[in-house]
Amino acid sequence: EEIKFRRIRRDHPKFLQDIGRHSGGKEVFVAAGFKLETLDGVKSFFSKEPDLESDMDGWSEWFDGLKRTLQIIEEEMIK
């Protein structure tokens, strides 16, 4: 599993342009389970996926949270 698919640089111009500039944009990532961390000296939103084999309940909770967040985003987009 590659970390680059679970890391979003907080100050990346594309992130700021598409999401970060909107009120609540950054908070959506926190609601989806991302944590603001410093990775390689860069402030980033990072999602740590629980290990499916050793923590099925944790993984299910993590995945359900992602699905709920996606549902909220989709509902807001059609308003």
Side-chain angles (χ1 to χ4, degrees), residues 3 6-12 15 26 29-30 33-49 62:
I3 192 171
R6 295 183 287 114
R7 171 185 169 171
I8 299 164
R9 290 176 286 160
R10 184 192 67 182
D11 297 327
H12 189 278
F15 172 75
K26 295 174 184 173
F29 283 87
V30 174
F34 284 77
K35 307 239 185 295
L36 186 59
E37 299 182 8
T38 301
L39 301 169
D40 300 325
V42 178
K43 290 276 190 187
S44 303
F45 290 100
F46 182 70
S47 175
K48 181 164 176 55
E49 179 180 352
W62 171 82

Side-chain angles (χ1 to χ4, degrees), residues 1 5 7 14 21-22 24 31 34 50 57 75:
E1 182 176 331
F5 297 117
R7 171 185 169 171
K14 187 70 174 158
R21 67 185 174 96
H22 296 285
F34 284 77
D57 290 339
E75 289 170 0

Side-chain angles (χ1 to χ4, degrees), residues 43-79:
K43 290 276 190 187
S44 303
F45 290 100
F46 182 70
S47 175
K48 181 164 176 55
E49 179 180 352
D51 182 65
L52 180 61
E53 291 182 19
S54 65
D55 186 10
M56 179 63 170
D57 290 339
W59 187 90
S60 293
E61 184 178 315
W62 171 82
F63 188 70
D64 289 344
L66 290 178
K67 290 191 302 186
R68 282 191 304 274
T69 303
L70 178 59
Q71 181 180 7
I72 291 168
I73 292 169
E74 288 174 340
E75 289 170 0
E76 290 297 317
M77 289 178 66
I78 61 173
K79 286 185 179 180

